[in-house]
Amino acid sequence: MARVNDLENALRRVVRGSVRFDQASRLLYSTDASMYQVEPIGVVIPRHADDVRAAVQVAREQQVALLPRGGGTSLTGQTVNRALVVDFTQHMNRVLKVNAEEQWARVQPGLVQDELNHHVRPMGLLFGPDTSTSNRATLGGMLGNNSGGSHSLAYGLTVDHVIEIRALLVDGSEVVFGELTAAELQAKTRGAGLEGQVYREVAAIRETYADEIRARYPKHWRRVAGYNLNELLGVGVRPHSYAGGGNGSPRPLSMARLVVGSEGTLLTILEAKVRLVKRPPATAVNVIHYHDMQEALESSQAILETGPYAVEVTDKLILDLARDNIEQSRRMGWIQGDPAAIMIVEYTGENEAETRSKIQVLEGRRARDGFGYAAHVAYDAGEQRTIWNLRKAGLGLLLGMKGDKKPIAFVEDTCVEPRHLAQFVPRFKEIFAKHDTVGAYYGHCSVGCLHIRPVIDLKVPRGMEQVRAIADEITALVVEFGGTISSEHGDGRARSPFIERMYGPKLMEGFRRLKRAFDPDNRMNPGNIVDSPGILENLRYGVEYKTWEPVTMLDFSNEGGFAAAVEMCNGVGQCRKSLEGTMCPSYMATRDEEHSTRGRANALRAVLSGRMAPREFTGERLHEVM
């Protein structure tokens, strides 16, 4: 591999955007919203597609690993690596074209989800998948993770909404991936270069592993673990998917759908054509309050029978954190009493009368079956936004917990068929209790995906033991229930080591063949999905992590000291939102990571933890960031 200064000089000669190799810049990109930290080789912030082409070409010539990156909101570490990071968010963040009649948009990978929806809202349209990080998550990241969200019951996953992808293969050649007929696939296999090789190997993988794909892929469609080899056969997809299939017949082969969820390990996306859907004319929300989480889970099947648009559960731990949060506490007047859990149930209709009718059906069912001690109904759009904002704030509230014990993401994305939740979750709790920890529970009851996080201190040996044991036992539990270890957050560093236990050695061999076909030299975000390091490697915090405490004018004792206050930045990137609030006006103006609150916290933590010399605490570079 080339020396770093040779790589930097080569990039500066051909890239018009920013090329950053100083230590502070590298450390700003060494974390995401996960428990991992890996310092990249350098960072490129391209101004346009030609910059991306140039960066990929230089990386090929100098045999350097590549990591395409969006908002850096990943929860399992797939956006940190010892690689050349390509950050699309500052410049390549536009809506290129919208066809309202045919309901599609052509977008750049750095476009934020909420900004796409803001753009198409006047047309009565929206992009269906809606992550809780929608105000900073990018379309490129959603394609990389195969994201879902609260309304996946209605819209499915991102894979159901990708029509076409224009991308660069690792050798710099440009491809356009979309649906193919059998004849078109056969013609593509006769092509030259890396693209032809990819098509030939894809055809061979489909033939070799067809029986294993049908036998080993979970029957429930809410699954993103591994690569989408099921798309080679068009099976194992969401019923009544917008992309077709799922109704007893397979859908056509799409190379675009095949590479969705590949976490930057196969190619670099330049732009994508994505499907849009009609925005519901009217919505209504019923928030059911429960004395017990188990009661909430057991009622979810009855709720699903009423035809909801979304069914979301939030537990007492998150509600208590919200009460202690200045922003959220002012907006919780609709909470009645002190519930152990709430269920947000949403309906759509052509008008308010239709949504009122659906709410009445739910209330009738609730009265008949006797679940929930109270309910709050919201028809007003503003009040509904307030309720949904609390649900979306759950992740940030959890990760902002004070102290060294944090709700850690590594088993937080499991999914089973919804009818199994009431049996699955108590078993989950038993594993936590066995290893002397508790968990936070929230997520999508509608599709069987709960984001369950154990509260663990990674700075002590016991915390390491808990992670290793819990990951092992939860994987076994998921396999027992025929579920998936990853259902929308991706595999990354946290779950890639366990993929083979879910799919078996033969399909794992198929995953490796697909990876080699696209990336023969293993340079695209290596170590994710296949050939991954152990779950405890490259942790942000660990038993060796130590900080020094500067003397400050202000009192940070309530936070546990200045270093602890800095560590309360959880990496979820809430400060990168641009359409609402004023949390980080400097980032809104520049869209530069180092001008975000997260960037500043990362820079401070780098100095306090010794990754940068203590003298840098009063140095010019930290002053620039701050």
Side-chain angles (χ1 to χ4, degrees):
M1 191 176 76
R3 292 185 303 170
V4 168
N5 57 342
D6 292 339
L7 175 63
E8 180 181 3
N9 291 335
L11 287 166
R12 289 190 184 281
R13 284 194 293 268
V14 294
V15 172
R16 293 191 62 190
S18 297
V19 176
R20 302 178 183 180
F21 276 69
D22 64 283
Q23 186 184 26
S25 293
R26 296 197 310 271
L27 287 167
L28 294 182
Y29 285 87
S30 66
T31 63
D32 49 17
S34 74
M35 60 183 178
Y36 297 101
Q37 179 159 4
V38 183
E39 189 174 322
I41 297 168
V43 180
V44 169
I45 303 175
R47 286 193 171 275
H48 40 57
D50 283 344
D51 274 356
V52 184
R53 294 184 184 97
V56 170
Q57 184 64 23
V58 170
R60 183 189 70 80
E61 292 168 355
Q62 305 211 18
Q63 288 297 290
V64 171
L66 276 167
L67 170 54
R69 175 166 161 144
T73 60
S74 299
L75 293 167
T76 57
Q78 58 266 59
T79 60
V80 297
N81 214 328
R82 185 64 179 165
L84 179 66
V85 170
V86 182
D87 177 1
F88 289 90
T89 58
Q90 189 170 15
H91 302 296
M92 294 186 66
N93 53 26
R94 294 183 296 126
V95 179
L96 299 175
K97 184 178 181 180
V98 174
N99 187 316
E101 183 178 347
E102 297 180 7
Q103 295 182 205
W104 57 261
R106 193 174 294 280
V107 301
Q108 292 182 312
L111 176 68
V112 170
Q113 181 186 160
D114 274 1
E115 293 176 12
L116 171 59
N117 282 329
H118 179 73
H119 186 92
V120 301
R121 188 182 187 92
M123 308 171 199
L125 300 172
L126 58 80
F127 183 65
D130 59 335
T131 65
S132 64
T133 54
S134 63
N135 59 7
R136 67 267 194 199
T138 65
L139 269 291
M142 295 182 74
L143 290 163
N145 270 358
N146 195 9
S147 299
S150 298
H151 295 98
S152 64
L153 177 65
Y155 301 126
L157 298 166
T158 301
V159 72
D160 297 298
H161 299 272
V162 62
I163 299 170
E164 185 179 277
I165 285 174
R166 186 161 68 89
L168 298 177
L169 298 180
V170 70
D171 68 344
S173 57
E174 192 164 324
V175 295
V176 177
F177 283 161
E179 286 192 356
L180 291 165
T181 65
E184 288 169 335
L185 174 61
Q186 188 61 34
K188 288 286 190 181
T189 63
R190 295 191 290 270
L194 182 57
E195 182 180 3
Q197 175 185 318
V198 165
Y199 278 107
R200 285 189 291 276
E201 189 65 358
V202 163
I205 290 170
R206 181 167 70 165
E207 182 175 347
T208 303
Y209 299 97
D211 291 342
E212 196 75 1
I213 290 168
R214 291 189 176 95
R216 292 301 299 258
Y217 268 71
K219 305 307 178 191
H220 187 34
W221 59 270
R222 196 54 152 73
R223 171 210 68 251
V224 305
Y227 291 120
N228 289 342
L229 296 190
N230 63 300
E231 289 291 346
L232 298 179
L233 306 178
V235 299
V237 303
R238 177 181 173 271
H240 310 289
S241 167
Y242 281 84
N247 310 318
S249 59
R251 63 188 179 194
L253 169 64
S254 166
M255 290 291 287
R257 291 195 290 267
L258 173 65
V259 300
V260 166
S262 57
E263 301 181 18
T265 64
L266 301 182
L267 42 66
T268 301
I269 296 174
L270 295 175
E271 62 181 59
K273 181 180 179 182
V274 296
R275 181 175 288 104
L276 302 173
V277 298
K278 291 183 178 179
R279 183 176 292 276
T283 58
V285 167
N286 191 345
V287 185
I288 305 173
H289 297 51
Y290 299 87
H291 288 304
D292 180 72
M293 171 62 81
Q294 188 62 24
E295 180 193 5
L297 296 174
E298 290 174 356
S299 71
S300 61
Q301 281 302 109
I303 293 170
L304 284 172
E305 290 172 7
T306 66
Y309 184 47
V311 183
E312 299 284 298
V313 71
T314 299
D315 77 349
K316 179 176 170 57
L317 177 56
I318 295 174
L319 294 175
D320 287 346
L321 289 169
R323 288 190 179 96
D324 291 335
N325 179 272
I326 295 174
E327 180 181 4
Q328 294 299 329
S329 61
R330 294 196 299 260
R331 303 172 179 174
M332 295 181 65
W334 46 274
I335 294 287
Q336 301 178 38
D338 186 22
I342 59 170
M343 194 85 83
I344 301 172
V345 186
E346 186 176 27
Y347 295 93
T348 65
E350 291 300 314
N351 48 52
E352 185 177 312
E354 185 177 350
T355 61
R356 283 183 179 274
S357 175
K358 291 180 178 180
I359 291 287
Q360 288 169 4
V361 170
L362 174 61
E363 282 299 290
R365 185 64 182 265
R366 199 168 71 81
R368 191 188 82 187
D369 294 356
F371 57 83
Y373 70 82
H376 177 83
V377 178
Y379 296 104
D380 176 74
E383 187 177 15
Q384 290 179 47
R385 279 194 299 273
T386 297
I387 292 168
W388 278 114
N389 283 342
L390 173 64
R391 164 63 186 88
K392 288 192 169 191
L395 173 60
L397 290 169
L398 283 171
L399 293 182
M401 284 177 63
K402 294 178 181 178
D404 288 334
K405 285 189 175 182
K406 303 286 187 184
I408 305 298
F410 63 99
V411 292
E412 88 303 335
D413 202 31
T414 62
C415 183
V416 297
E417 291 188 40
R419 60 192 173 92
H420 294 318
L421 274 180
Q423 294 77 44
F424 177 74
V425 173
R427 296 275 300 279
F428 218 112
K429 288 184 177 180
E430 288 173 8
I431 292 172
F432 282 6
K434 175 183 174 182
H435 296 287
D436 193 30
T437 188
V438 295
Y441 299 77
Y442 67 100
H444 320 301
C445 277
S446 55
V447 290
C449 166
L450 288 195
H451 300 314
I452 308 174
R453 294 164 168 263
V455 180
I456 291 175
D457 181 359
L458 289 174
K459 297 179 182 178
V460 297
R462 175 61 178 148
M464 300 292 180
E465 295 167 5
Q466 288 172 308
V467 169
R468 188 180 291 108
I470 289 171
D472 178 70
E473 293 179 34
I474 293 299
T475 300
L477 179 66
V478 168
V479 172
E480 177 188 335
F481 274 82
T484 178
I485 56 175
S486 303
S487 62
E488 64 180 5
H489 292 167
D491 298 317
R493 295 173 175 272
R495 285 186 286 276
S496 293
F498 303 95
I499 292 175
E500 186 166 345
R501 288 177 57 184
M502 179 176 157
Y503 287 109
K506 189 167 184 180
L507 276 182
M508 199 68 202
E509 176 187 86
F511 292 158
R512 291 192 179 98
R513 283 185 63 174
L514 186 71
K515 168 69 171 174
R516 285 195 300 270
F518 277 87
D519 184 19
D521 298 324
N522 193 31
R523 291 193 300 105
M524 293 301 301
N525 202 13
N528 290 281
I529 301 182
V530 301
D531 302 323
S532 59
I535 187 174
L536 292 176
E537 293 189 33
N538 300 301
L539 294 177
R540 186 190 313 192
Y541 303 115
V543 293
E544 303 298 324
Y545 180 87
K546 298 289 185 294
T547 57
W548 59 275
E549 194 71 23
V551 177
T552 60
M553 295 287 291
L554 300 177
D555 181 10
F556 290 92
S557 57
N558 190 49
E559 289 79 17
F562 183 71
V566 171
E567 290 171 17
M568 286 181 68
C569 173
N570 48 58
V572 298
Q574 178 77 9
C575 52
R576 290 170 58 98
K577 61 187 179 182
S578 59
L579 293 179
E580 58 184 1
T582 55
M583 181 175 182
C584 199
S586 57
Y587 176 78
M588 288 181 173
T590 67
R591 287 185 175 263
D592 194 317
E593 176 69 18
E594 76 172 53
H595 296 143
S596 69
T597 309
R598 179 176 70 178
R600 295 182 176 111
N602 272 338
L604 282 169
R605 190 167 47 79
V607 175
L608 297 177
S609 65
R611 287 182 178 267
M612 293 177 69
R615 66 176 179 274
E616 296 296 333
F617 191 66
T618 55
E620 184 176 334
R621 187 68 180 94
L622 185 61
H623 182 265
E624 289 174 355
V625 174
M626 300 304 292

